[in-house]
Amino acid sequence: MDYYLSPTHTQRFDLEIKNSQFITHVCRTNGRDAAKAFIEEMRQRYPDANHHCWAFIAGVPNNAHLWDQSDDGEPKGTAGKPMLNVLQHSDFGETTVVVTRFFGGVKLGAGGLVRAYSQAVQEALSQTEYENVYPRCPVQLKIAYPLLGKVEYWLEQSDIEITNKTYSDSIVIDLAVIERTWPEHKLALTDLCQGSLTLIEPDNA
């Protein structure tokens, strides 16, 4: 996977079907805790709503351990599952969608609910402002103190994130590198340090 899509900020979209109001919020959430916190925020924002149905992919799109959904009181399988299905086919990751429903007095039936919640998420995602997110993997770089200045300067000009530094007899820098560009950056770093570095990286980096 070269990259996936993720919302740039929390966004709201409104849909009315047979007098019921469907308010969809789309938010970037990294991890289950962030997703659950956002869902709770929506519950508190609309305490009088009949339902707060939700679905999330709280990491990279292909990590099924970070998928989840809920019908929140709607008939089983009519809300959360179709919402998640739309999300799974959207190329979005690190994304939570909450559809808040205010019942308008007209029952939609099971099929109508599936269509309504699917439509709410489809329309929201089609209008969501997003950015491309490139998957990262951890790499550990070990260098001698005299190299620190020029290595830090080089890293600041690159797309590599520094996540931690440890100072002992040498300097260990924890990096988060983009898989796609790492092979090229690895060669450049090795040249910069004239081979005087140690890299600890996952097999696929």
Side-chain angles (χ1 to χ4, degrees), residues 99-113:
V99 179
T100 299
R101 183 190 181 194
F102 289 88
F103 181 55
V106 179
K107 292 186 176 182
L108 302 181
L113 287 171

Side-chain angles (χ1 to χ4, degrees), residues 5 11-15 17 22-26 55 79-92 95-99 111-130:
L5 315 180
Q11 296 160 65
R12 169 180 169 161
F13 306 92
D14 293 72
L15 179 66
I17 299 175
F22 293 85
I23 303 171
T24 304
H25 281 86
V26 183
K81 189 173 180 179
M83 289 169 62
L84 181 59
N85 185 56
V86 172
L87 201 51
Q88 287 170 324
H89 291 85
S90 68
D91 294 326
F92 273 81
T95 301
T96 298
V97 289
V98 180
V99 179
L113 287 171
V114 170
R115 288 190 295 273
Y117 281 101
S118 298
Q119 181 183 347
V121 177
Q122 285 169 345
E123 291 192 6
L125 293 180
S126 71
Q127 301 173 70
T128 293
E129 295 180 21
Y130 64 84

